[in-house]
Amino acid sequence: MRGGAPVEISIAVPMRNDSASWGGGYTELMYDLGEGWVSVGNSGHDGPMVVGGDIITTYSRDILLDAGSESDYDIRFKLRHRAYDGTLLINGSRDLSGQHFGVLLSAVS
């Protein structure tokens, strides 16, 4: 990334919950500037967290991070998901097609 430039992050995570009972999950975004992973926070009970199944949704967020350094720098991202009732499918059972569908993480400086 260019030094001094903030990082604008847009995430879109397609999820499916096929449970007949309480199920689903949440998503957490993390980043690393070379000193270890830092959590931006998690979605909480959002997206497919429902009672009853067959829910398909996309969790999406836009986040602006301060510049990692005044000099040019590298940054890595990681998405973590936690399932409840073993029913959360990421990019699964949604009949996705095309290169712009599925989990998408883009960073622009």
Side-chain angles (χ1 to χ4, degrees):
M1 302 300 293
R2 289 185 311 225
V7 180
E8 178 183 354
I9 304 164
S10 295
I11 61 173
V13 182
M15 302 177 182
R16 183 174 177 135
N17 173 25
D18 286 332
S19 175
S21 62
W22 178 254
Y26 65 78
T27 296
E28 176 183 30
L29 174 64
M30 303 178 82
Y31 69 94
D32 176 28
L33 296 170
E35 299 175 1
W37 291 105
V38 177
S39 177
V40 176
N42 67 61
S43 63
H45 299 290
D46 199 351
M49 295 298 294
V50 296
V51 174
D54 306 323
I55 301 301
I56 299 173
T57 187
T58 298
Y59 171 78
S60 59
R61 284 292 180 266
D62 295 311
I63 299 164
L64 184 63
L65 297 176
D66 291 332
S69 171
E70 290 303 314
S71 303
D72 289 355
Y73 61 96
D74 293 325
I75 186 168
R76 299 184 310 157
F77 298 98
K78 175 169 50 173
L79 289 169
R80 296 191 327 166
H81 310 282
R82 179 169 178 185
Y84 292 85
D85 193 30
T87 62
L88 184 66
L89 301 173
I90 306 298
N91 283 350
S93 297
R94 289 194 45 159
D95 204 19
L96 298 172
S97 64
Q99 66 182 20
H100 298 289
F101 294 93
V103 172
L104 177 62
L105 168 66
S106 59
V108 179
S109 67

